[in-house]
Amino acid sequence: MPTIVSVDDSTVPGEGSSRLLLLVSSDNKHIVVEEDIMSRSRFISKQVEGFEATSQRHAILLPFSSFVLNKVIEYCSHYRGYYLLEDDPDAAPPGRSPVREWDQEFLDVDRNMLLRIIKAAHYLEIKSLVGSCARAIADMIRGKTTEEMREILGVENDFTPEEEHSPSSKCTG
Amino acid sequence: MSHFMVRLVRQSHSRAAQGLFRCLSLSSTSSLDSEDIALLGKVADHPSNTSKTPSTSHIFQATVVPSFELLDADQMGFPITLLGFFVIEQTKMAMKVSSSQTSNSSISRLPVEILDKIFCELQSFKQNDEESSKGVPRKPTCLAVSQVCAHWRAVARRCHALWTAIPLYSREWTDVCLELSKPYPITLRWVDDKGALPDEAALRLALGELPRIRELVLDVEPYLPLQGGTSFITVASDLLAQRPAPNLEVLDIRLQEAEHTLPDHIFSGQIPSALRTLKLDTCMANTSSPLFHSGLTELVLHDCMLWGTYQEMQETLLQTPQLEVLKLSYWCLPRTTQHIVLTGTPTVLSKLHTLELYGNTFEIALALRSISIPQACRQVALTYNTHEADFLEYSIITLPIEETFPLAIKAGSYFDRLTISMVDGSVSSVFLKLSEPVFTGKPNLPEELQLSLLRQPLGGIPKDAIPLAWAVLHRLRLSMLARTRVIETGYFSVDWLLDEEWWIRMDTFGGGIQEIVTRGLAACGLLKAFRRTSTVPDEFPGLFFPQLRDLTIESMQCDEEVFLELFAEQQRRRHAVGSTYRVSILRCDVTEGAAAKLRQASRVGFVLWDGDCRGYTTRDSCSGLSICI
């Protein structure tokens, strides 16, 4: 859970009716963002609901760097006001994530960055972003051999030779 | 009071996000004094804050957000003091920082939920495509994933969706996937890529799970031998008849090169109530089979002799009132039905939003009469010239163009766009038909009637037919290859524009094999008149049509002289050519002088340049030319 620090407050004005949130990244960068933008995050929304109960304003400390956080905010900003099925808690989750052109361009980053973004999105409970990242990662490894998958994603083979070369009928362990 | 820099940050690289995302970045080069703190507000008595009061020197560290454009505080109009509502407990923040570092190689330790999501995304659409390389079966992705590491294996085993695309190369693999995908519905796709052969035992095993199959796609040469030697279709047909398919949503069977009929009692004769999409290509089915039921929303038939009579077609459509997409290609009603009198009320397909018809004009006309089409339905029709010699494979279509074209035109009146592709010179007949009073009086035609001539070399179009045709059509495009040599035949051509060695494609210019055209003209009693004209007249009534929209010249060498002549002519006729707005010149060599003339040609609305530039012509000389009247 993030660290939450409360302060007395009546209102925090912003443009329109959207209030401001302070997000603090793991590298100690403070980013103020409109609550409305981050409403796609179930995690943030839940935090905000808690704030309202105490009539206090809070900062939310997040366990990832400002670089990653900025990417997530960029994503949320892009889809601000858009309805995405995956983020609808009342909708049945789609089996596969829809292909969104903007997302593909947005996620055209290196492997490590992609992994950080999906972790951040998972932490923040932004299902649409998790899905898009997952699709991007899946595209990287689809059709590849086991060895190629390990190489692409930097996964260490921790099988014993017996486990690894088990007959195909036992190939899944 | 310390000096604060408060900046409004906007993303500069995301247009959609501009104006939406506002982010404040705080900066302080010195510690806050008491006055600052007072202005910022006091720390609340939250349990997490009572133990330690944050050191102000840590509260507002310099925070220049990377990759963002920073603007001055003045532009944002926010009271600086309000930022004090956000106070951070530095010590706990540091703790979180230390615990949240992401390792570069942490993929194998991704949370289970994330890994599970990635695996779900790995469901393949064409698994045998990616799992076959140069005819050698490759281990299915699902199996490859499960062998990466222990963590992946554990997650993969629990991710049922990962295993739902059933491979057919090996019984062992099929067995594993069928087992681990339970109880989920499965997908069975085989797209014959002339690579490795499917395994008969695997196919039998997979189709034995017919009740679990949600999507069945078979794109094969029907007599493709399996590894066991039996033909694919024999095994598949047999198995499809043995069990019901209550979960089947998509059935797509494409049989290459040979026809095959699905068993009458497919799915044990039980209606696949979940079936929504039915696509059959060169694959017959009895229209009384359970495949055609009221739940279907998409019906795509290609080259299927499904119906023996017009009435049968109508009966089938009556069984499928929920259709939203209907695509029929060469469904080939027998000739014996060509002269039937169509009676009865058209079938109402109130949800239809896409109708595509490809076939001869007779089929199209019948289909249109069979269906009551909603106003907003997108309609496309493509029909061909019907000379038997042109399409031997469709020998059932033998109506001559003189008979079918009126039908096509009538059919066209139902459509927004109608494409008729002709393969010989019967274009003359087309134009002559168009000039008949029945058409000239009431041009109830599609907005765009596109006639494409597919065969070259071609000659010209009878001069009298062209203006008459244009008087009828709203829009006409003829695409063809023509050689200017035919100018001597007395038909319209463009030799004043082109050297006889140049091949061109010009929209609105016609042609045809001389002999066929001549024959057609003779049949129409116009040959004599044409023979009197041995040279091209000064005026070309067919060249500058009053409603000409597009003129395309392709793959020709144009020197300056040619273009001078072209545009002199254009300018001469400028007052008569009100609606010409675009001229496309593709893959042509154009001199700089000619390009300059192009720019000056007031009659030309738009010039496109597409192709290699050779010799003295540079791309720049023509690229993006936009010559507006």
Side-chain angles (χ1 to χ4, degrees), chain A residues 7 26 28 30 70 74 80 96 142-143 168, chain B residues 11 20 59 65 85 93 97 121 123 138 172:
Chain A
V7 293
S26 62
N28 196 19
H30 304 175
N70 281 337
E74 182 185 350
R80 182 184 192 180
R96 295 180 54 147
R142 180 179 287 113
S168 59
Chain B
Q11 292 169 289
L20 297 176
I59 294 176
V65 183
F85 290 118
M93 179 171 69
V97 169
E121 296 291 337
Q123 294 176 70
R138 178 186 289 188
E172 201 170 27

mmCIF file with all atom_site columns, all heavy atoms in Angstrom, chain A residues 7 26 28 30 70 74 80 96 142-143 168, chain B residues 11 20 59 65 85 93 97 121 123 138 172:
data_model
loop_
_atom_site.group_PDB
_atom_site.id
_atom_site.type_symbol
_atom_site.label_atom_id
_atom_site.label_alt_id
_atom_site.label_comp_id
_atom_site.label_asym_id
_atom_site.label_entity_id
_atom_site.label_seq_id
_atom_site.pdbx_PDB_ins_code
_atom_site.Cartn_x
_atom_site.Cartn_y
_atom_site.Cartn_z
_atom_site.occupancy
_atom_site.B_iso_or_equiv
_atom_site.pdbx_formal_charge
_atom_site.auth_seq_id
_atom_site.auth_comp_id
_atom_site.auth_asym_id
_atom_site.auth_atom_id
_atom_site.pdbx_PDB_model_num
ATOM 1   N N   . VAL A 1 7   ? -3.706  16.077  4.978   1.00 0.00 ? 7   VAL A N   1
ATOM 2   C CA  . VAL A 1 7   ? -3.619  17.465  5.420   1.00 0.00 ? 7   VAL A CA  1
ATOM 3   C C   . VAL A 1 7   ? -5.021  18.022  5.499   1.00 0.00 ? 7   VAL A C   1
ATOM 4   O O   . VAL A 1 7   ? -5.922  17.553  4.819   1.00 0.00 ? 7   VAL A O   1
ATOM 5   C CB  . VAL A 1 7   ? -2.779  18.318  4.442   1.00 0.00 ? 7   VAL A CB  1
ATOM 6   C CG1 . VAL A 1 7   ? -1.332  17.872  4.469   1.00 0.00 ? 7   VAL A CG1 1
ATOM 7   C CG2 . VAL A 1 7   ? -3.353  18.258  3.053   1.00 0.00 ? 7   VAL A CG2 1
ATOM 8   N N   . SER A 1 26  ? 8.746   6.857   -6.956  1.00 0.00 ? 26  SER A N   1
ATOM 9   C CA  . SER A 1 26  ? 9.757   6.220   -6.124  1.00 0.00 ? 26  SER A CA  1
ATOM 10  C C   . SER A 1 26  ? 11.071  6.995   -6.145  1.00 0.00 ? 26  SER A C   1
ATOM 11  O O   . SER A 1 26  ? 11.884  6.848   -5.254  1.00 0.00 ? 26  SER A O   1
ATOM 12  C CB  . SER A 1 26  ? 9.988   4.785   -6.593  1.00 0.00 ? 26  SER A CB  1
ATOM 13  O OG  . SER A 1 26  ? 10.474  4.792   -7.915  1.00 0.00 ? 26  SER A OG  1
ATOM 14  N N   . ASN A 1 28  ? 11.172  10.121  -5.870  1.00 0.00 ? 28  ASN A N   1
ATOM 15  C CA  . ASN A 1 28  ? 10.898  11.352  -5.129  1.00 0.00 ? 28  ASN A CA  1
ATOM 16  C C   . ASN A 1 28  ? 10.526  12.521  -6.033  1.00 0.00 ? 28  ASN A C   1
ATOM 17  O O   . ASN A 1 28  ? 10.870  13.648  -5.768  1.00 0.00 ? 28  ASN A O   1
ATOM 18  C CB  . ASN A 1 28  ? 12.107  11.719  -4.251  1.00 0.00 ? 28  ASN A CB  1
ATOM 19  C CG  . ASN A 1 28  ? 11.722  12.739  -3.190  1.00 0.00 ? 28  ASN A CG  1
ATOM 20  O OD1 . ASN A 1 28  ? 10.535  12.900  -2.882  1.00 0.00 ? 28  ASN A OD1 1
ATOM 21  N ND2 . ASN A 1 28  ? 12.701  13.419  -2.653  1.00 0.00 ? 28  ASN A ND2 1
ATOM 22  N N   . HIS A 1 30  ? 7.495   14.786  -7.492  1.00 0.00 ? 30  HIS A N   1
ATOM 23  C CA  . HIS A 1 30  ? 6.120   15.102  -7.106  1.00 0.00 ? 30  HIS A CA  1
ATOM 24  C C   . HIS A 1 30  ? 5.360   15.526  -8.343  1.00 0.00 ? 30  HIS A C   1
ATOM 25  O O   . HIS A 1 30  ? 5.752   16.481  -9.015  1.00 0.00 ? 30  HIS A O   1
ATOM 26  C CB  . HIS A 1 30  ? 6.103   16.236  -6.084  1.00 0.00 ? 30  HIS A CB  1
ATOM 27  C CG  . HIS A 1 30  ? 6.926   15.942  -4.877  1.00 0.00 ? 30  HIS A CG  1
ATOM 28  N ND1 . HIS A 1 30  ? 7.137   16.862  -3.881  1.00 0.00 ? 30  HIS A ND1 1
ATOM 29  C CD2 . HIS A 1 30  ? 7.610   14.834  -4.501  1.00 0.00 ? 30  HIS A CD2 1
ATOM 30  C CE1 . HIS A 1 30  ? 7.904   16.332  -2.949  1.00 0.00 ? 30  HIS A CE1 1
ATOM 31  N NE2 . HIS A 1 30  ? 8.207   15.097  -3.316  1.00 0.00 ? 30  HIS A NE2 1
ATOM 32  N N   . ASN A 1 70  ? 5.035   9.026   -15.441 1.00 0.00 ? 70  ASN A N   1
ATOM 33  C CA  . ASN A 1 70  ? 4.679   9.954   -16.520 1.00 0.00 ? 70  ASN A CA  1
ATOM 34  C C   . ASN A 1 70  ? 4.043   9.224   -17.693 1.00 0.00 ? 70  ASN A C   1
ATOM 35  O O   . ASN A 1 70  ? 3.112   9.724   -18.320 1.00 0.00 ? 70  ASN A O   1
ATOM 36  C CB  . ASN A 1 70  ? 5.923   10.701  -17.001 1.00 0.00 ? 70  ASN A CB  1
ATOM 37  C CG  . ASN A 1 70  ? 6.292   11.834  -16.063 1.00 0.00 ? 70  ASN A CG  1
ATOM 38  O OD1 . ASN A 1 70  ? 5.447   12.342  -15.326 1.00 0.00 ? 70  ASN A OD1 1
ATOM 39  N ND2 . ASN A 1 70  ? 7.551   12.222  -16.075 1.00 0.00 ? 70  ASN A ND2 1
ATOM 40  N N   . GLU A 1 74  ? 0.419   9.846   -19.067 1.00 0.00 ? 74  GLU A N   1
ATOM 41  C CA  . GLU A 1 74  ? 0.206   10.164  -20.477 1.00 0.00 ? 74  GLU A CA  1
ATOM 42  C C   . GLU A 1 74  ? -0.912  9.288   -21.056 1.00 0.00 ? 74  GLU A C   1
ATOM 43  O O   . GLU A 1 74  ? -1.778  9.760   -21.792 1.00 0.00 ? 74  GLU A O   1
ATOM 44  C CB  . GLU A 1 74  ? 1.502   9.944   -21.271 1.00 0.00 ? 74  GLU A CB  1
ATOM 45  C CG  . GLU A 1 74  ? 1.365   10.313  -22.743 1.00 0.00 ? 74  GLU A CG  1
ATOM 46  C CD  . GLU A 1 74  ? 2.609   9.974   -23.545 1.00 0.00 ? 74  GLU A CD  1
ATOM 47  O OE1 . GLU A 1 74  ? 3.648   9.634   -22.937 1.00 0.00 ? 74  GLU A OE1 1
ATOM 48  O OE2 . GLU A 1 74  ? 2.538   10.025  -24.779 1.00 0.00 ? 74  GLU A OE2 1
ATOM 49  N N   . ARG A 1 80  ? -8.593  10.260  -21.361 1.00 0.00 ? 80  ARG A N   1
ATOM 50  C CA  . ARG A 1 80  ? -9.441  10.991  -20.403 1.00 0.00 ? 80  ARG A CA  1
ATOM 51  C C   . ARG A 1 80  ? -10.831 11.191  -21.040 1.00 0.00 ? 80  ARG A C   1
ATOM 52  O O   . ARG A 1 80  ? -10.980 11.684  -22.146 1.00 0.00 ? 80  ARG A O   1
ATOM 53  C CB  . ARG A 1 80  ? -8.829  12.340  -20.106 1.00 0.00 ? 80  ARG A CB  1
ATOM 54  C CG  . ARG A 1 80  ? -9.607  13.145  -19.091 1.00 0.00 ? 80  ARG A CG  1
ATOM 55  C CD  . ARG A 1 80  ? -8.968  14.505  -18.927 1.00 0.00 ? 80  ARG A CD  1
ATOM 56  N NE  . ARG A 1 80  ? -9.500  15.195  -17.767 1.00 0.00 ? 80  ARG A NE  1
ATOM 57  C CZ  . ARG A 1 80  ? -9.105  16.408  -17.399 1.00 0.00 ? 80  ARG A CZ  1
ATOM 58  N NH1 . ARG A 1 80  ? -8.181  17.030  -18.096 1.00 0.00 ? 80  ARG A NH1 1
ATOM 59  N NH2 . ARG A 1 80  ? -9.626  16.985  -16.331 1.00 0.00 ? 80  ARG A NH2 1
ATOM 60  N N   . ARG A 1 96  ? -9.722  -11.030 -25.054 1.00 0.00 ? 96  ARG A N   1
ATOM 61  C CA  . ARG A 1 96  ? -8.463  -10.475 -25.525 1.00 0.00 ? 96  ARG A CA  1
ATOM 62  C C   . ARG A 1 96  ? -8.597  -8.966  -25.603 1.00 0.00 ? 96  ARG A C   1
ATOM 63  O O   . ARG A 1 96  ? -9.681  -8.433  -25.831 1.00 0.00 ? 96  ARG A O   1
ATOM 64  C CB  . ARG A 1 96  ? -8.117  -11.033 -26.907 1.00 0.00 ? 96  ARG A CB  1
ATOM 65  C CG  . ARG A 1 96  ? -7.847  -12.514 -26.888 1.00 0.00 ? 96  ARG A CG  1
ATOM 66  C CD  . ARG A 1 96  ? -7.509  -12.978 -28.283 1.00 0.00 ? 96  ARG A CD  1
ATOM 67  N NE  . ARG A 1 96  ? -6.411  -12.173 -28.826 1.00 0.00 ? 96  ARG A NE  1
ATOM 68  C CZ  . ARG A 1 96  ? -5.505  -12.659 -29.655 1.00 0.00 ? 96  ARG A CZ  1
ATOM 69  N NH1 . ARG A 1 96  ? -5.553  -13.900 -30.033 1.00 0.00 ? 96  ARG A NH1 1
ATOM 70  N NH2 . ARG A 1 96  ? -4.547  -11.889 -30.121 1.00 0.00 ? 96  ARG A NH2 1
ATOM 71  N N   . ARG A 1 142 ? 5.094   -14.413 -29.403 1.00 0.00 ? 142 ARG A N   1
ATOM 72  C CA  . ARG A 1 142 ? 4.218   -15.331 -30.135 1.00 0.00 ? 142 ARG A CA  1
ATOM 73  C C   . ARG A 1 142 ? 4.978   -16.011 -31.273 1.00 0.00 ? 142 ARG A C   1
ATOM 74  O O   . ARG A 1 142 ? 5.685   -15.386 -32.045 1.00 0.00 ? 142 ARG A O   1
ATOM 75  C CB  . ARG A 1 142 ? 3.004   -14.603 -30.680 1.00 0.00 ? 142 ARG A CB  1
ATOM 76  C CG  . ARG A 1 142 ? 2.062   -15.519 -31.448 1.00 0.00 ? 142 ARG A CG  1
ATOM 77  C CD  . ARG A 1 142 ? 0.841   -14.817 -31.981 1.00 0.00 ? 142 ARG A CD  1
ATOM 78  N NE  . ARG A 1 142 ? -0.085  -14.494 -30.907 1.00 0.00 ? 142 ARG A NE  1
ATOM 79  C CZ  . ARG A 1 142 ? -0.375  -13.264 -30.519 1.00 0.00 ? 142 ARG A CZ  1
ATOM 80  N NH1 . ARG A 1 142 ? 0.189   -12.243 -31.102 1.00 0.00 ? 142 ARG A NH1 1
ATOM 81  N NH2 . ARG A 1 142 ? -1.226  -13.058 -29.541 1.00 0.00 ? 142 ARG A NH2 1
ATOM 82  N N   . GLY A 1 143 ? 4.823   -17.300 -31.346 1.00 0.00 ? 143 GLY A N   1
ATOM 83  C CA  . GLY A 1 143 ? 5.448   -18.046 -32.428 1.00 0.00 ? 143 GLY A CA  1
ATOM 84  C C   . GLY A 1 143 ? 6.924   -18.328 -32.212 1.00 0.00 ? 143 GLY A C   1
ATOM 85  O O   . GLY A 1 143 ? 7.581   -18.906 -33.078 1.00 0.00 ? 143 GLY A O   1
ATOM 86  N N   . SER A 1 168 ? 6.830   -34.646 -24.160 1.00 0.00 ? 168 SER A N   1
ATOM 87  C CA  . SER A 1 168 ? 5.832   -33.606 -24.384 1.00 0.00 ? 168 SER A CA  1
ATOM 88  C C   . SER A 1 168 ? 4.561   -33.846 -23.591 1.00 0.00 ? 168 SER A C   1
ATOM 89  O O   . SER A 1 168 ? 3.852   -32.930 -23.228 1.00 0.00 ? 168 SER A O   1
ATOM 90  C CB  . SER A 1 168 ? 5.504   -33.495 -25.861 1.00 0.00 ? 168 SER A CB  1
ATOM 91  O OG  . SER A 1 168 ? 5.023   -34.728 -26.347 1.00 0.00 ? 168 SER A OG  1
ATOM 92  N N   . GLN B 2 11  ? 1.937   17.837  -21.971 1.00 0.00 ? 11  GLN B N   1
ATOM 93  C CA  . GLN B 2 11  ? 2.597   16.912  -22.867 1.00 0.00 ? 11  GLN B CA  1
ATOM 94  C C   . GLN B 2 11  ? 2.682   17.571  -24.232 1.00 0.00 ? 11  GLN B C   1
ATOM 95  O O   . GLN B 2 11  ? 1.696   18.064  -24.752 1.00 0.00 ? 11  GLN B O   1
ATOM 96  C CB  . GLN B 2 11  ? 1.786   15.637  -23.006 1.00 0.00 ? 11  GLN B CB  1
ATOM 97  C CG  . GLN B 2 11  ? 1.758   14.838  -21.731 1.00 0.00 ? 11  GLN B CG  1
ATOM 98  C CD  . GLN B 2 11  ? 0.756   13.751  -21.842 1.00 0.00 ? 11  GLN B CD  1
ATOM 99  O OE1 . GLN B 2 11  ? -0.436  14.013  -21.831 1.00 0.00 ? 11  GLN B OE1 1
ATOM 100 N NE2 . GLN B 2 11  ? 1.247   12.548  -21.981 1.00 0.00 ? 11  GLN B NE2 1
ATOM 101 N N   . LEU B 2 20  ? -5.484  18.470  -21.840 1.00 0.00 ? 20  LEU B N   1
ATOM 102 C CA  . LEU B 2 20  ? -6.193  17.587  -20.930 1.00 0.00 ? 20  LEU B CA  1
ATOM 103 C C   . LEU B 2 20  ? -5.379  17.328  -19.675 1.00 0.00 ? 20  LEU B C   1
ATOM 104 O O   . LEU B 2 20  ? -5.899  17.258  -18.574 1.00 0.00 ? 20  LEU B O   1
ATOM 105 C CB  . LEU B 2 20  ? -6.478  16.244  -21.624 1.00 0.00 ? 20  LEU B CB  1
ATOM 106 C CG  . LEU B 2 20  ? -7.381  16.316  -22.841 1.00 0.00 ? 20  LEU B CG  1
ATOM 107 C CD1 . LEU B 2 20  ? -7.483  14.935  -23.470 1.00 0.00 ? 20  LEU B CD1 1
ATOM 108 C CD2 . LEU B 2 20  ? -8.750  16.823  -22.454 1.00 0.00 ? 20  LEU B CD2 1
ATOM 109 N N   . ILE B 2 59  ? 10.591  18.078  1.406   1.00 0.00 ? 59  ILE B N   1
ATOM 110 C CA  . ILE B 2 59  ? 9.231   18.065  0.886   1.00 0.00 ? 59  ILE B CA  1
ATOM 111 C C   . ILE B 2 59  ? 9.170   18.424  -0.589  1.00 0.00 ? 59  ILE B C   1
ATOM 112 O O   . ILE B 2 59  ? 8.595   17.722  -1.402  1.00 0.00 ? 59  ILE B O   1
ATOM 113 C CB  . ILE B 2 59  ? 8.330   19.025  1.690   1.00 0.00 ? 59  ILE B CB  1
ATOM 114 C CG1 . ILE B 2 59  ? 8.187   18.491  3.109   1.00 0.00 ? 59  ILE B CG1 1
ATOM 115 C CG2 . ILE B 2 59  ? 6.963   19.159  1.032   1.00 0.00 ? 59  ILE B CG2 1
ATOM 116 C CD1 . ILE B 2 59  ? 7.396   19.393  4.015   1.00 0.00 ? 59  ILE B CD1 1
ATOM 117 N N   . VAL B 2 65  ? 10.118  17.220  -14.436 1.00 0.00 ? 65  VAL B N   1
ATOM 118 C CA  . VAL B 2 65  ? 9.561   15.999  -15.009 1.00 0.00 ? 65  VAL B CA  1
ATOM 119 C C   . VAL B 2 65  ? 10.121  15.794  -16.408 1.00 0.00 ? 65  VAL B C   1
ATOM 120 O O   . VAL B 2 65  ? 10.016  16.681  -17.247 1.00 0.00 ? 65  VAL B O   1
ATOM 121 C CB  . VAL B 2 65  ? 8.036   16.087  -15.078 1.00 0.00 ? 65  VAL B CB  1
ATOM 122 C CG1 . VAL B 2 65  ? 7.455   14.795  -15.606 1.00 0.00 ? 65  VAL B CG1 1
ATOM 123 C CG2 . VAL B 2 65  ? 7.497   16.392  -13.697 1.00 0.00 ? 65  VAL B CG2 1
ATOM 124 N N   . PHE B 2 85  ? -1.261  21.694  0.327   1.00 0.00 ? 85  PHE B N   1
ATOM 125 C CA  . PHE B 2 85  ? -2.169  20.634  0.759   1.00 0.00 ? 85  PHE B CA  1
ATOM 126 C C   . PHE B 2 85  ? -1.547  19.255  0.565   1.00 0.00 ? 85  PHE B C   1
ATOM 127 O O   . PHE B 2 85  ? -2.031  18.271  1.085   1.00 0.00 ? 85  PHE B O   1
ATOM 128 C CB  . PHE B 2 85  ? -3.477  20.717  -0.019  1.00 0.00 ? 85  PHE B CB  1
ATOM 129 C CG  . PHE B 2 85  ? -4.285  21.924  0.384   1.00 0.00 ? 85  PHE B CG  1
ATOM 130 C CD1 . PHE B 2 85  ? -4.574  22.914  -0.529  1.00 0.00 ? 85  PHE B CD1 1
ATOM 131 C CD2 . PHE B 2 85  ? -4.732  22.060  1.684   1.00 0.00 ? 85  PHE B CD2 1
ATOM 132 C CE1 . PHE B 2 85  ? -5.314  24.014  -0.170  1.00 0.00 ? 85  PHE B CE1 1
ATOM 133 C CE2 . PHE B 2 85  ? -5.481  23.168  2.057   1.00 0.00 ? 85  PHE B CE2 1
ATOM 134 C CZ  . PHE B 2 85  ? -5.766  24.160  1.133   1.00 0.00 ? 85  PHE B CZ  1
ATOM 135 N N   . MET B 2 93  ? 8.214   7.453   2.396   1.00 0.00 ? 93  MET B N   1
ATOM 136 C CA  . MET B 2 93  ? 8.412   7.487   0.962   1.00 0.00 ? 93  MET B CA  1
ATOM 137 C C   . MET B 2 93  ? 9.734   6.789   0.620   1.00 0.00 ? 93  MET B C   1
ATOM 138 O O   . MET B 2 93  ? 9.798   5.986   -0.310  1.00 0.00 ? 93  MET B O   1
ATOM 139 C CB  . MET B 2 93  ? 8.454   8.932   0.465   1.00 0.00 ? 93  MET B CB  1
ATOM 140 C CG  . MET B 2 93  ? 8.670   9.066   -1.015  1.00 0.00 ? 93  MET B CG  1
ATOM 141 S SD  . MET B 2 93  ? 8.458   10.750  -1.539  1.00 0.00 ? 93  MET B SD  1
ATOM 142 C CE  . MET B 2 93  ? 9.884   11.495  -0.796  1.00 0.00 ? 93  MET B CE  1
ATOM 143 N N   . VAL B 2 97  ? 10.386  3.669   -1.778  1.00 0.00 ? 97  VAL B N   1
ATOM 144 C CA  . VAL B 2 97  ? 11.296  3.750   -2.917  1.00 0.00 ? 97  VAL B CA  1
ATOM 145 C C   . VAL B 2 97  ? 12.213  2.554   -2.934  1.00 0.00 ? 97  VAL B C   1
ATOM 146 O O   . VAL B 2 97  ? 12.413  1.904   -3.950  1.00 0.00 ? 97  VAL B O   1
ATOM 147 C CB  . VAL B 2 97  ? 12.113  5.057   -2.849  1.00 0.00 ? 97  VAL B CB  1
ATOM 148 C CG1 . VAL B 2 97  ? 13.235  5.020   -3.876  1.00 0.00 ? 97  VAL B CG1 1
ATOM 149 C CG2 . VAL B 2 97  ? 11.215  6.242   -3.078  1.00 0.00 ? 97  VAL B CG2 1
ATOM 150 N N   . GLU B 2 121 ? -3.343  -13.419 -23.965 1.00 0.00 ? 121 GLU B N   1
ATOM 151 C CA  . GLU B 2 121 ? -3.179  -12.705 -25.232 1.00 0.00 ? 121 GLU B CA  1
ATOM 152 C C   . GLU B 2 121 ? -2.486  -13.564 -26.281 1.00 0.00 ? 121 GLU B C   1
ATOM 153 O O   . GLU B 2 121 ? -2.464  -13.224 -27.455 1.00 0.00 ? 121 GLU B O   1
ATOM 154 C CB  . GLU B 2 121 ? -2.373  -11.421 -25.013 1.00 0.00 ? 121 GLU B CB  1
ATOM 155 C CG  . GLU B 2 121 ? -3.047  -10.404 -24.134 1.00 0.00 ? 121 GLU B CG  1
ATOM 156 C CD  . GLU B 2 121 ? -4.266  -9.771  -24.792 1.00 0.00 ? 121 GLU B CD  1
ATOM 157 O OE1 . GLU B 2 121 ? -4.333  -9.782  -26.028 1.00 0.00 ? 121 GLU B OE1 1
ATOM 158 O OE2 . GLU B 2 121 ? -5.149  -9.292  -24.057 1.00 0.00 ? 121 GLU B OE2 1
ATOM 159 N N   . GLN B 2 123 ? -3.323  -16.380 -27.310 1.00 0.00 ? 123 GLN B N   1
ATOM 160 C CA  . GLN B 2 123 ? -4.213  -17.191 -28.133 1.00 0.00 ? 123 GLN B CA  1
ATOM 161 C C   . GLN B 2 123 ? -4.024  -16.785 -29.569 1.00 0.00 ? 123 GLN B C   1
ATOM 162 O O   . GLN B 2 123 ? -4.095  -15.622 -29.908 1.00 0.00 ? 123 GLN B O   1
ATOM 163 C CB  . GLN B 2 123 ? -5.667  -16.934 -27.743 1.00 0.00 ? 123 GLN B CB  1
ATOM 164 C CG  . GLN B 2 123 ? -6.014  -17.381 -26.365 1.00 0.00 ? 123 GLN B CG  1
ATOM 165 C CD  . GLN B 2 123 ? -7.447  -16.983 -26.061 1.00 0.00 ? 123 GLN B CD  1
ATOM 166 O OE1 . GLN B 2 123 ? -8.370  -17.537 -26.610 1.00 0.00 ? 123 GLN B OE1 1
ATOM 167 N NE2 . GLN B 2 123 ? -7.613  -16.013 -25.196 1.00 0.00 ? 123 GLN B NE2 1
ATOM 168 N N   . ARG B 2 138 ? 6.324   -26.753 -35.640 1.00 0.00 ? 138 ARG B N   1
ATOM 169 C CA  . ARG B 2 138 ? 7.008   -26.141 -34.511 1.00 0.00 ? 138 ARG B CA  1
ATOM 170 C C   . ARG B 2 138 ? 6.119   -26.299 -33.291 1.00 0.00 ? 138 ARG B C   1
ATOM 171 O O   . ARG B 2 138 ? 4.902   -26.304 -33.398 1.00 0.00 ? 138 ARG B O   1
ATOM 172 C CB  . ARG B 2 138 ? 7.240   -24.664 -34.807 1.00 0.00 ? 138 ARG B CB  1
ATOM 173 C CG  . ARG B 2 138 ? 7.894   -23.914 -33.691 1.00 0.00 ? 138 ARG B CG  1
ATOM 174 C CD  . ARG B 2 138 ? 7.971   -22.429 -33.994 1.00 0.00 ? 138 ARG B CD  1
ATOM 175 N NE  . ARG B 2 138 ? 8.936   -22.150 -35.044 1.00 0.00 ? 138 ARG B NE  1
ATOM 176 C CZ  . ARG B 2 138 ? 9.300   -20.920 -35.399 1.00 0.00 ? 138 ARG B CZ  1
ATOM 177 N NH1 . ARG B 2 138 ? 8.762   -19.887 -34.810 1.00 0.00 ? 138 ARG B NH1 1
ATOM 178 N NH2 . ARG B 2 138 ? 10.174  -20.716 -36.345 1.00 0.00 ? 138 ARG B NH2 1
ATOM 179 N N   . GLU B 2 172 ? -0.077  -35.954 -29.416 1.00 0.00 ? 172 GLU B N   1
ATOM 180 C CA  . GLU B 2 172 ? 0.373   -35.674 -28.065 1.00 0.00 ? 172 GLU B CA  1
ATOM 181 C C   . GLU B 2 172 ? 0.102   -34.215 -27.693 1.00 0.00 ? 172 GLU B C   1
ATOM 182 O O   . GLU B 2 172 ? -0.417  -33.909 -26.614 1.00 0.00 ? 172 GLU B O   1
ATOM 183 C CB  . GLU B 2 172 ? 1.872   -35.959 -27.971 1.00 0.00 ? 172 GLU B CB  1
ATOM 184 C CG  . GLU B 2 172 ? 2.357   -36.186 -26.566 1.00 0.00 ? 172 GLU B CG  1
ATOM 185 C CD  . GLU B 2 172 ? 3.774   -36.705 -26.560 1.00 0.00 ? 172 GLU B CD  1
ATOM 186 O OE1 . GLU B 2 172 ? 4.531   -36.426 -27.521 1.00 0.00 ? 172 GLU B OE1 1
ATOM 187 O OE2 . GLU B 2 172 ? 4.136   -37.381 -25.603 1.00 0.00 ? 172 GLU B OE2 1
#
